[in-house]
C-alpha cells in the first residue's frame, strides 16, 4: 500500500471537501509524513501496535502531550478517510488512547512582588503618576480590590458603584453562570475604593454611571484591556517584569497566597467562584509545598 499516495489523496479530500486551510493542510502533511517515515512499511498499512510504538517514540523524544495529541488526531483523520473510502477494512486507531495533557500550573506572583506592586500603586495614588492622580487612584483601587477578592477581571471592571458606597466588609458578586457569591474586602481595599469614589465624584461624566469604574465605551465601564495595560505599566514602575503580570496572575496570587497561609481548598473554591472543586485543584501543588514545609519545620525528628 503506497502511503505517500494515500496521504496525498487524504489531503486533497481535506482541501476539496472540507475546505481545510493551507496551514492546516501543511500541519497534517508534516505529521502524517513523519509518522510514515518512522513506521516500518509506511503509515497506510500500519497496525495499532505500530502506531502505539510510534506514539511512545515521539513521547520519548520529548514532544509535549499537546503535540502528541495533535499528531494522533491527524493519524485518526487519515485512517477514517481510508476506511470510508474502502482502502482499509479497519481503523487501527480505534483502540488508542489520547495522550494525557498535563494541566499547566497557573502563573502567580510571590508575596514580596505583590507587596511591591501594591505599595507602588499606593504611592502613585498619593502623588499622582505623570500628573494624572485620577488614573492613579483608579488603578490603586483596582489592584487592591483584585488582590483582596480574587475576582475575575470581567467581574472586577464591571462592579457596581454601590459596592463602594455601602463600604461593607463583604459584597455579593454575580459570576459565571449568573451565580452569586460572597467575597470579602480588606481594610486596604475599602480605603482605596473610598479614595477613588471621592475622586470619581469630581468627574461630571461619571455622576450618573451605575459602575464603580465607568468609561466612555459601549459597555459603560473600564475595559479589561485598558486595565491590563495599566497594570503592566505599574509593574514596570515597581521593578517587576511586565511579562510576568496580568489581572489573571493577580487572581492566581490571591488563591495561592491564601493556601500558602493555611486556607482550606474548598473555601478558596468558593471565593474564586469555581463551580467544581476540580478546577481549583490546579492549586494542590501549593498545598503539597505547605505540607512539606509543615513537616520539615515541626516534625520532632526533622533535622
Amino acid at each position: 500500500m503506497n502511503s505517500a499516495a494515500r496521504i496525498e489523496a487524504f489531503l486533497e479530500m481535506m482541501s476539496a471537501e472540507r475546505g481545510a486551510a493551507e496551514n492546516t493542510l501543511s500541519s497534517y502533511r508534516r505529521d502524517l509524513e513523519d509518522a510514515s517515515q518512522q513506521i516500518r512499511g509506511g503509515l497506510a498499512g500500519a497496525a495499532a501496535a505500530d502506531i502505539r510504538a510510534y506514539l511512545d517514540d515521539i513521547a520519548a523524544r520529548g514532544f509535549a502531550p499537546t503535540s502528541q495529541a495533535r499528531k494522533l488526531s491527524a493519524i485518526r483523520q487519515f485512517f477514517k478517510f481510508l476506511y470510508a473510502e474502502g482502502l482499509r477494512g479497519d481503523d487501527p486507531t480505534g483502540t488508542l488512547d489520547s495522550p494525557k495533557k498535563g494541566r499547566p500550573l497557573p502563573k502567580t506572583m510571590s508575596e514580596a512582588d505583590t507587596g511591591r506592586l501594591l505599595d507602588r500603586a499606593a504611592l502613585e495614588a498619593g502623588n499622582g503618576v505623570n500628573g494624572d492622580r485620577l488614573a492613579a487612584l483608579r488603578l490603586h483601587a483596582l489592584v487592591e480590590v483584585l488582590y483582596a477578592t480574587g475576582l475575575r477581571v470581567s467581574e472586577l471592571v464591571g462592579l457596581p458603584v454601590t459596592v463602594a458606597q455601602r463600604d461593607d466588609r463583604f459584597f455579593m458578586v454575580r459570576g459565571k453562570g449568573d451565580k452569586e457569591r460572597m467575597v470579602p474586602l480588606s481594610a486596604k481595599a475599602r480605603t482605596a475604593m473610598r479614595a477613588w469614589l471621592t475622586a470619581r465624584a469630581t468627574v461630571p461624566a461619571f455622576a450618573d454611571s451605575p459602575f464603580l469604574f465607568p468609561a466612555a465605551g459601549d459597555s459603560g465601564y473600564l475595559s479589561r484591556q485598558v486595565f491590563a495595560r495599566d497594570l503592566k505599566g505599574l509593574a514596570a514602575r515597581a521593578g517587576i517584569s511586565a511579562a510576568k503580570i496580568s489581572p489573571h496572575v493577580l487572581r492566581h496570587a490571591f488563591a495561592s497566597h491564601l493556601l500558602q497561609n493555611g486556607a482550606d481548598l474548598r473555601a478558596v473554591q468558593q471565593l474564586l467562584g469555581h463551580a467544581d472543586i476540580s478546577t481549583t485543584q490546579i492549586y494542590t501543588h501549593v498545598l503539597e509545598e505547605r505540607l512539606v514545609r509543615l513537616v520539615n519545620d515541626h516534625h520532632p525528628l526533622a533535622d
Side-chain angles (χ1 to χ4, degrees):
M1 190 178 290
N2 188 328
S3 291
R6 299 288 189 250
I7 290 171
E8 288 301 328
F10 166 72
L11 294 173
E12 285 174 16
M13 180 277 295
M14 291 295 292
S15 175
E17 295 182 20
R18 302 194 189 175
E22 195 60 42
N23 285 346
T24 303
L25 293 172
S26 297
S27 177
Y28 274 133
R29 181 184 296 279
R30 281 194 305 272
D31 290 339
L32 294 175
E33 287 181 349
D34 178 68
S36 197
Q37 289 165 9
Q38 299 298 323
I39 295 172
R40 182 174 295 177
L43 180 61
D50 298 321
I51 300 169
R52 190 174 289 110
Y54 168 70
L55 294 172
D56 290 343
D57 177 63
I58 61 174
R61 281 192 269 158
F63 280 87
T66 49
S67 297
Q68 297 173 44
R70 189 199 69 234
K71 287 176 180 292
L72 177 56
S73 175
I75 293 169
R76 284 192 202 280
Q77 293 283 347
F78 176 63
F79 280 108
K80 279 182 184 174
F81 163 74
L82 294 184
Y83 182 76
E85 292 294 311
L87 299 172
R88 270 194 72 138
D90 67 326
D91 179 355
T93 65
T95 58
L96 298 177
D97 293 328
S98 294
K100 286 188 168 54
K101 298 179 186 177
R103 294 191 73 174
L105 296 179
K107 277 193 201 175
T108 187
M109 294 173 68
S110 67
E111 290 185 43
D113 278 352
T114 306
R116 283 166 58 201
L117 185 80
L118 296 174
D119 287 347
R120 180 72 195 192
L123 177 68
E124 293 183 357
N127 302 332
V129 56
N130 300 326
D132 192 346
R133 189 159 183 266
L134 193 71
L137 285 164
R138 182 181 70 184
L139 185 55
H140 184 216
L142 283 161
V143 294
E144 285 285 3
V145 173
L146 178 52
Y147 184 58
T149 61
L151 293 176
R152 297 178 179 92
V153 63
S154 56
E155 297 167 346
L156 173 69
V157 295
L159 280 175
V161 70
T162 50
V163 168
Q165 289 169 338
R166 283 197 296 265
D167 194 28
D168 290 335
R169 289 185 301 150
F170 296 88
F171 67 92
M172 300 299 293
V173 63
R174 192 178 299 277
K176 280 187 176 180
D178 218 27
K179 291 181 180 177
E180 284 195 330
R181 69 184 189 279
M182 183 180 287
V183 292
L185 274 173
S186 65
K188 283 186 175 182
R190 290 165 65 201
T191 299
M193 276 205 307
R194 284 197 301 269
W196 163 242
L197 196 60
T198 301
R200 178 186 179 280
T202 66
V203 183
F206 293 168
D208 296 326
S209 174
F211 300 108
L212 179 56
F213 302 107
D218 292 340
S219 67
Y221 53 79
L222 185 73
S223 75
R224 294 176 297 170
Q225 292 82 3
V226 169
F227 173 43
R229 181 199 66 201
D230 291 350
L231 181 61
K232 285 183 179 294
L234 175 67
R237 294 189 298 274
I240 301 165
S241 170
K244 291 181 178 178
I245 191 165
S246 70
H248 209 54
V249 168
L250 260 187
R251 172 170 155 89
H252 287 312
F254 160 84
S256 296
H257 298 169
L258 281 178
L259 290 166
Q260 284 166 5
N261 289 283
D264 176 74
L265 193 65
R266 285 277 181 192
V268 172
Q269 175 197 355
Q270 291 172 353
L271 290 169
L272 290 173
H274 288 163
D276 194 316
I277 190 67
S278 64
T279 310
T280 318
Q281 282 171 342
I282 55 174
Y283 296 104
T284 51
H285 69 289
V286 178
L287 291 176
E288 289 163 4
E289 290 166 7
R290 195 179 85 202
L291 289 171
V292 169
R293 194 167 62 246
L294 181 71
V295 171
N296 289 340
D297 290 348
H298 300 289
H299 195 284
L301 298 181
D303 291 332

